[in-house]
Amino acid sequence: MKWFKHNSVSRFEVEPYDPTTQKAVIRSSICTGEKVAGFKSKRDGHFTEVMLIRNKKDEEKFKEMYKVDFLTVEY
C-alpha cells in the first residue's frame, strides 16, 4: 500500500488485484508471528505484499478494500 499526501488528507493507492490470476493470502512468520496480507500469483507463486496485519481490524480492512471473503494463511 502506498501512502501519499493530497490537500492535507492522507490517502492510499490500492494495489491492483485480479482474482482470476491471484489469490488473497496472509503470510505469517513462524518465528516472529508477523503477518502480511497480499496476493499470490496462481501461475508462478510470486507474492506481492500489500499491508501489515497487526490485528483482526487490519484483516477486516484488507478484506473490505479488496472485496475478499476468505484469506489463506501461509507459514
Side-chain angles (χ1 to χ4, degrees):
M1 184 175 345
K2 299 173 187 167
W3 291 91
F4 59 93
K5 289 277 190 178
H6 179 67
N7 295 336
S8 301
V9 177
S10 292
R11 297 178 185 252
F12 58 90
E13 184 178 314
V14 177
E15 290 288 328
Y17 166 56
D18 181 4
T20 60
T21 60
Q22 298 173 309
K23 67 179 182 175
V25 174
I26 290 182
R27 279 200 165 169
S28 182
S29 169
I30 294 172
C31 298
T32 63
E34 180 180 81
K35 295 180 181 181
V36 178
F39 304 108
K40 186 174 181 180
S41 170
K42 292 178 181 178
R43 186 174 46 108
D44 63 7
H46 175 77
F47 181 75
T48 303
E49 291 184 10
V50 175
M51 70 184 284
L52 180 65
I53 303 295
R54 295 173 299 223
N55 52 40
K56 194 68 170 169
K57 186 177 178 182
D58 288 343
E59 185 177 331
E60 294 303 319
K61 181 174 181 129
F62 178 82
K63 287 179 177 179
E64 180 183 318
M65 285 171 47
Y66 290 99
K67 313 281 188 281
V68 175
D69 295 326
F70 179 75
L71 292 169
T72 303
V73 179
E74 295 183 349
Y75 297 93

